[in-house]
Amino acid sequence: MCKPRLAVFKFASCDGCQLSLLDAEDHLLAVADAVEIVYFPEATSHMEEGPYDIALVEGSITTPHDAERIQQIRKDARFLMTIGACATAGGIQALRNWADKDEFMQAVYATPEYIQVLETSTPIAEHVQVDFELRGCPINQYQLIEVIRSLLAGQTPRTPRHSVCLD
Ligand code: SF4
């Protein structure tokens, strides 16, 4: 029987959420046994095109190319889950949304005319339908493994509404 195909994609981010997944080691190995990881550039050079059963998406949309790429990922993915504050809320890079991006470009790049960037950094859900959001910076790796396990078991994933206790 074919295993579900899992893919991990990165947009503008620090990679910390993907590394959280890799840090889960033994738990990840258990999940890796139940799925076929067909796209995960952070972990392997082996990359396959869609369709995917589960797509994990880290990072925010900041360039015209990002905006096109996430549309294709959505078409290819049966279940799309965003992981981390960058993907679910725009991330630290969204701080520029309240300023003039051209001023930043002039200050940071010697040749800003070669840089193509959107006016804002936005969460994935502002571009495509997202099936599940896992928040945190970084995400809790055990919550992520638990969500993947739930999906594989055909159950609705359950995670706390907050990543810290607010009581
Ligand atoms: Fe890094 Fe935090 Fe963004 Fe995850 S949410 S990619 S840890 S900045």
Side-chain angles (χ1 to χ4, degrees), residues 12-18 58-59 83-87 91-93 136-139:
S13 62
C14 80
D15 285 11
C17 290
Q18 292 184 64
E58 175 195 82
I83 56 172
C86 295
I92 194 83
Q93 52 274 22
C137 181
I139 52 163

Side-chain angles (χ1 to χ4, degrees), residues 69-137:
R69 196 160 68 98
I70 192 61
Q71 297 297 333
Q72 186 60 49
I73 292 169
R74 176 65 274 187
K75 281 184 193 145
D76 286 345
R78 193 162 60 84
F79 187 94
L80 188 153
M81 171 162 59
T82 47
I83 56 172
C86 295
T88 59
I92 194 83
Q93 52 274 22
L95 291 176
R96 73 172 163 84
N97 295 357
W98 287 273
D100 180 354
K101 72 119 170 54
D102 291 328
E103 279 183 26
F104 284 137
M105 301 255 293
Q106 297 286 345
V108 172
Y109 298 105
T111 51
E113 60 271 26
Y114 293 121
I115 308 294
Q116 288 198 327
V117 67
L118 297 171
E119 288 296 320
T120 54
S121 164
T122 43
I124 301 298
E126 288 194 18
H127 298 263
V128 295
Q129 184 200 325
V130 169
D131 300 308
F132 194 85
E133 290 188 320
L134 191 60
R135 297 176 185 174
C137 181

